[in-house]
Amino acid sequence: MAAWALAADDSLPQWYQPAKVSAKTERKKRPLPSRTEQVNMLQAGHTYDVLIIGGGATGAGCALDATTRGLRTALVEADDFASGTSSRSTKLIHGGVRYLQKAIMQLDYDQYKMVKEALHERANMLEVAPHLTRPLPILLPVYKWWQVPYYWFGIKMYDLVAGDRNVKSSYYLSKKNTLELFPMLKSDNLCGGIVYYDGQQDDARMNLAIALTAARHGATIANHVSVTKLHKTAGKLSGARLRDELTGKEWDIKAKCIINATGPFTDTIRKMDDETVKEICCPSSGVHIVLPGYYSPEHMGLLDPATSDGRVIFFLPWLKGTIAGTTDLPCQVTHNPKPTEDEILFILTEVKNYLNPDVEVRRGDVLSAWSGIRPLVSDPNKPDTQSLARNHIVHVSPAGLVTIAGGKWTTYRAMAAETIDAAIESANLKPLYRECQTDGFLIEGAHGWTPTMYIRLVQDFGLEMEVAQHLAKSYGDRAFAVAKMASMTGKRWPIIGKKVHPEFPYIDAEIRYGVREYACTAVDMIARRLRLAFLNVQAAVEALPAITDIMAEELKWSDAEKNRQIKIASEFLANEMGQMVNRASRDKIPINLSKEEIQTYIKRFQIIDKDRKGFVSINDIRRSLKNYGEDVTGEQLHEILREIDTNMNGQVELDEYLQMMSAIKSGHVAYSRFARMAEMEEEHHEKESLKKKITVERSGGGL
């Protein structure tokens, strides 16, 4: 420690091992330090060259850029990596077709440069993380003949600007071929379609992979560590006060330069530096919904360029589901953005306009819904801060706070490079490499990945094919390390890999591996290590107990802590992932059942309510399920009860059951296990009654 203290500022103390980045495609052998080790490093009293606040895409990109240049790098994130906007995007890696249109129509060179940069970054992301990204064809349906040459010219210009970094060439499709590729499309007045290519990614996993790559190359990174205060020496920033949000412990850290990469919370950090500064962030809410996979072809997306209010709607296949979005409404900055019913209905209405009448788009098909806060910013470098910057801005305050704000997911690497350039200049840092090293720099999992790697996982470990494909796409060449942690199934096939939910390819080993990837809470796991919360909120609720059981083993949680984690995760799913708004939508539907339907449902309800209590208890549900041979766990019973028990009193009343059946009839609910159980119980009851009748008749006939 004394040796470090005596080291000159520009020397490299022994605690810091700079990255050697000459071989950009070399797989780093350095083991990943645990979170405890990372926090201990932050507390050890070292002086860092850069302290980055914010663990989203931009912050993680800055950490990777800084550490690969040989700068002593620390990154802290108050919540989890990608917990904000970076996990709630449209999942597209795109250059911005709309921006190019504006650049051409308005002869705007800045817009053109922005598109050119984004298209370069699009190609780079597809190259450096091939396991987490893929090229995606997107269809632009055309319903007016004059639009065919107009759109075709615009999309060809998009290809032209991309140049040798183009993914694939766009092309025109006849009406017949368009419907062949996208059969659920509305065919009336359809002239044809234009298909262009962009990229698609798993955003939270990409964000995490960038952060892990930075850690492998020497950066000290820690999630759930917040900044409570900035320290100054002689008017210049010299460090910060940190707090571990998991333990409550606080300490000071020294840094020559502090980078503010906090997205929507940009102004919070800027005011820690100077409380008199004007706010520059103008937050905007972007809501997305997830629908079942059958709403879109597996390998093609759809773009609606002109919605009823001028916004662009995307309709994209993603992880076997369909993402539809997005909205764009001014909002308040919050750590817990929630989707609203109006925004969900707007997206559903726009989607209906493009699908043929045979495809009934039901409110009940919304499996998950979330809101991401887009941090639009005005540029503090310019005297007129009224207009919002179209691109990102990098600003250095008089005290030396480097703020990077705005921009978009696709350009995270270019934004990081510009930010670290500004940091080096403003703080007079001495990196090993002056130039950015991250262009073409392979991300965690990319080094040994091949498109057929999943076959080796099936053959070597005895994994189910769908599970092996998922592991290869999520972890790249680290999938083998995940597979080694999987438990035996006890079946002939698959040999290993117990699923945490029967409908999804997530397995037990991912929970154990996720803890090594710095997952500290149940929400970290269900939302960002696995993407279950984003894909199907009800499935996430069902898988939560099994997931927390494994996390409790790994993190040595007490029963009280385990219950606390389940409670917090349940609230997250209810509020931020759309479960509550889905339920509220169902509950306000007026009962629209005929007299005959009401009589049928009353009869079914009374069959289950054998003792005529006026309500159905959890024991009634257990008995009904046993009648037709289903033995379910206590937790599954509670789940069946909770999906219909709207007043949360632990029992189902007749009006709650009728409300559910009405919601199913109107399409506000797609499916209910309780409703199906009641139907099967009625069938079982009628069979038993028929058997008794036949027995009585036979015995009567023999007398």
Side-chain angles (χ1 to χ4, degrees):
M1 199 64 192
W4 164 77
L6 293 169
D9 271 351
D10 58 354
S11 69
L12 294 170
Q14 291 193 345
W15 63 267
Y16 179 75
Q17 295 298 320
K20 298 226 176 2
V21 295
S22 50
K24 291 185 177 185
T25 56
E26 191 182 316
R27 191 175 192 262
K28 202 73 180 168
K29 298 292 192 291
R30 178 184 188 237
L32 208 57
S34 68
R35 181 182 179 276
T36 304
E37 289 169 327
Q38 298 278 35
V39 171
N40 288 344
M41 282 287 284
L42 291 173
Q43 293 173 356
H46 306 316
T47 299
Y48 286 91
D49 288 321
V50 291
L51 167 64
I52 299 153
I53 310 170
T58 311
C62 286
L64 181 58
D65 191 297
T67 197
T68 52
R69 293 200 210 192
L71 293 170
R72 289 160 283 199
T73 306
L75 177 145
V76 293
E77 161 59 49
D79 192 345
D80 182 30
F81 305 111
S83 58
T85 312
S86 295
S87 61
R88 302 165 191 245
S89 74
T90 311
K91 323 300 178 204
L92 278 180
I93 310 167
H94 63 106
V97 176
R98 286 177 301 152
Y99 300 123
L100 183 62
Q101 180 192 16
K102 286 178 187 171
I104 294 168
M105 303 298 272
Q106 298 166 14
L107 298 175
D108 189 330
Y109 184 63
D110 285 343
Q111 291 265 24
Y112 168 79
K113 272 200 312 186
M114 192 170 79
V115 175
K116 183 82 175 166
E117 177 185 73
L119 288 170
H120 173 85
E121 294 305 321
R122 178 187 71 175
N124 188 62
M125 283 178 78
L126 289 165
E127 183 186 314
V128 301
H131 55 303
L132 291 167
T133 62
R134 63 167 180 162
L136 180 71
I138 298 174
L139 174 71
L140 218 75
V142 186
Y143 287 90
K144 293 180 176 136
W145 279 111
W146 67 266
Q147 289 177 332
V148 173
Y150 176 74
Y151 285 143
W152 185 86
F153 173 75
I155 295 299
K156 279 297 168 193
M157 286 300 293
Y158 194 57
D159 289 355
L160 192 66
V161 173
D164 61 350
R165 307 310 300 265
N166 199 23
V167 180
K168 287 184 183 178
S169 287
S170 57
Y171 54 91
Y172 170 75
L173 285 171
S174 67
K175 176 178 178 177
K176 182 186 171 193
N177 289 343
T178 300
L179 291 172
E180 210 170 273
L181 281 172
F182 216 115
M184 55 286 289
L185 204 60
K186 186 172 74 178
S187 58
D188 293 353
N189 302 320
L190 181 69
C191 304
I194 293 163
V195 176
Y196 73 97
Y197 283 80
D198 261 330
Q200 190 179 46
Q201 65 169 341
D202 183 341
D203 53 2
R205 294 247 19 128
M206 173 68 95
N207 191 157
L208 181 65
I210 297 162
L212 296 177
T213 309
R216 296 247 188 227
H217 286 82
T220 306
I221 67 169
N223 54 348
H224 300 284
V225 174
S226 63
V227 172
T228 59
K229 188 181 176 186
L230 298 180
H231 296 315
K232 291 180 184 175
T233 305
K236 291 288 183 181
L237 289 174
S238 57
R241 183 81 173 161
L242 304 184
R243 179 172 63 220
D244 187 335
E245 295 294 336
L246 302 181
T247 63
K249 184 175 178 179
E250 295 196 11
W251 68 95
D252 290 323
I253 185 173
K254 289 179 278 188
K256 296 176 189 174
C257 180
I258 295 177
I259 294 171
N260 173 14
T262 52
F265 303 97
T266 294
D267 289 321
T268 308
I269 304 298
R270 291 178 77 240
K271 286 184 175 179
M272 281 186 194
D273 172 35
D274 176 2
E275 55 189 33
T276 64
V277 294
K278 282 184 182 176
E279 295 191 357
I280 60 168
C281 187
C282 305
S284 166
S285 162
V287 168
H288 293 83
I289 62 174
V290 173
L291 298 164
Y294 53 71
Y295 273 105
S296 65
E298 196 179 338
H299 299 294
M300 182 168 282
L302 176 78
L303 166 64
D304 174 358
T307 61
S308 57
D309 70 349
R311 287 179 276 192
V312 169
I313 288 278
F314 285 100
F315 196 60
L316 309 165
W318 185 64
L319 300 182
K320 310 287 184 186
T322 301
I323 288 183
T326 180
T327 59
D328 186 8
L329 292 170
C331 66
Q332 294 297 312
V333 174
T334 169
H335 283 282
N336 315 104
K338 301 171 187 175
T340 66
E341 183 64 14
D342 286 348
E343 288 171 305
I344 291 169
L345 291 178
F346 166 77
I347 295 169
L348 285 175
T349 303
E350 294 302 332
V351 164
K352 282 178 188 174
N353 290 339
Y354 270 80
L355 299 184
N356 72 48
D358 292 346
V359 182
E360 187 189 350
V361 183
R362 304 175 298 183
R363 174 63 183 82
D365 284 333
V366 176
L367 304 175
S368 197
W370 70 86
S371 169
I373 299 177
R374 189 171 170 227
L376 302 171
V377 288
S378 49
D379 192 343
N381 300 306
K382 291 178 181 170
D384 172 24
T385 57
Q386 294 305 307
S387 59
L388 295 179
R390 299 179 193 128
N391 208 338
H392 60 271
I393 59 108
V394 176
H395 176 257
V396 183
S397 77
L401 178 68
V402 180
T403 294
I404 169 70
K408 58 182 181 176
W409 226 120
T410 308
T411 56
Y412 84 92
R413 193 204 62 81
M415 288 159 66
E418 198 178 318
T419 306
I420 301 305
D421 285 344
I424 290 168
E425 189 178 336
S426 69
N428 196 24
L429 302 176
K430 301 201 167 33
L432 289 176
Y433 304 94
R434 190 85 197 174
E435 299 300 317
C436 169
Q437 302 292 311
T438 55
D439 201 353
F441 194 92
L442 293 185
I443 300 297
E444 172 99 349
H447 301 82
W449 182 85
T450 64
T452 54
M453 196 186 84
Y454 72 92
I455 296 171
R456 276 173 54 209
L457 287 166
V458 174
Q459 292 173 339
D460 294 357
F461 293 96
L463 284 163
E464 193 179 313
M465 189 181 78
E466 189 192 7
V467 170
Q469 286 175 323
H470 153 68
L471 292 182
K473 283 176 183 171
S474 295
Y475 303 92
D477 63 12
R478 305 274 169 188
F480 294 95
V482 181
K484 282 174 186 169
M485 301 171 87
S487 53
M488 305 285 281
T489 61
K491 300 177 188 172
R492 188 185 65 79
W493 189 265
I495 297 167
I496 64 161
K498 289 181 182 172
K499 288 184 177 181
V500 295
H501 191 282
E503 295 166 32
F504 291 87
Y506 302 118
I507 59 169
D508 57 342
E510 294 182 78
I511 317 301
R512 300 189 193 283
Y513 193 79
V515 170
R516 286 150 185 80
E517 289 183 324
Y518 307 129
C520 303
T521 69
V523 174
D524 292 352
M525 192 64 73
I526 58 173
R528 294 171 288 273
R529 302 307 179 281
L530 317 179
R531 304 311 308 275
L532 195 51
F534 282 82
L535 290 167
N536 188 319
V537 69
Q538 188 58 38
V541 170
E542 290 159 16
L544 192 55
I547 289 169
T548 44
D549 280 347
I550 299 171
M551 288 191 80
E553 273 179 48
E554 291 289 323
L555 293 164
K556 308 289 186 286
W557 286 343
S558 63
D559 285 346
E561 176 60 19
K562 194 167 85 171
N563 292 333
R564 190 180 80 88
Q565 289 289 338
I566 288 175
K567 183 173 181 287
I568 292 168
S570 299
E571 286 169 2
F572 168 80
L573 292 168
N575 295 312
E576 294 182 53
M577 290 292 119
Q579 187 189 28
M580 197 67 83
V581 78
N582 282 357
R583 173 168 276 180
S585 159
R586 179 192 83 195
D587 294 346
K588 69 181 183 188
I589 296 298
I591 292 178
N592 62 343
L593 302 170
S594 66
K595 277 186 181 177
E596 291 77 12
E597 286 170 332
I598 289 173
Q599 289 306 314
T600 299
Y601 298 140
I602 289 173
K603 181 184 167 190
R604 287 180 188 174
F605 188 83
Q606 287 173 343
I607 290 168
I608 301 174
D609 177 21
K610 213 171 181 181
D611 308 325
R612 294 292 189 271
K613 304 179 297 298
F615 64 85
V616 170
S617 69
I618 202 153
N619 288 328
D620 294 325
I621 296 172
R622 182 185 281 114
R623 185 180 58 224
S624 284
L625 289 167
K626 275 189 173 176
N627 279 343
Y628 49 92
E630 277 203 42
D631 196 11
V632 295
T633 65
E635 189 53 45
Q636 287 170 318
L637 286 169
H638 281 287
E639 285 309 324
I640 293 169
L641 181 69
R642 272 199 291 265
E643 74 181 27
I644 193 168
D645 176 19
T646 53
N647 59 12
M648 303 293 184
N649 64 352
Q651 56 198 37
V652 179
E653 277 88 21
L654 176 61
D655 62 331
E656 289 174 320
Y657 176 50
L658 294 177
Q659 184 82 50
M660 171 66 84
M661 298 316 296
S662 183
I664 290 172
K665 182 180 177 181
S666 64
H668 273 68
V669 168
Y671 183 77
S672 161
R673 287 170 294 181
F674 186 91
R676 180 71 186 127
M677 182 192 77
E679 189 181 347
M680 290 177 79
E681 181 69 346
E682 183 187 34
E683 288 170 9
H684 174 77
H685 182 76
E686 284 174 356
K687 280 178 188 172
E688 291 300 308
S689 299
L690 187 63
K691 276 184 193 173
K692 282 179 186 173
K693 188 179 175 187
I694 291 168
T695 305
V696 168
E697 283 175 358
R698 280 178 177 167
S699 58
L703 283 170

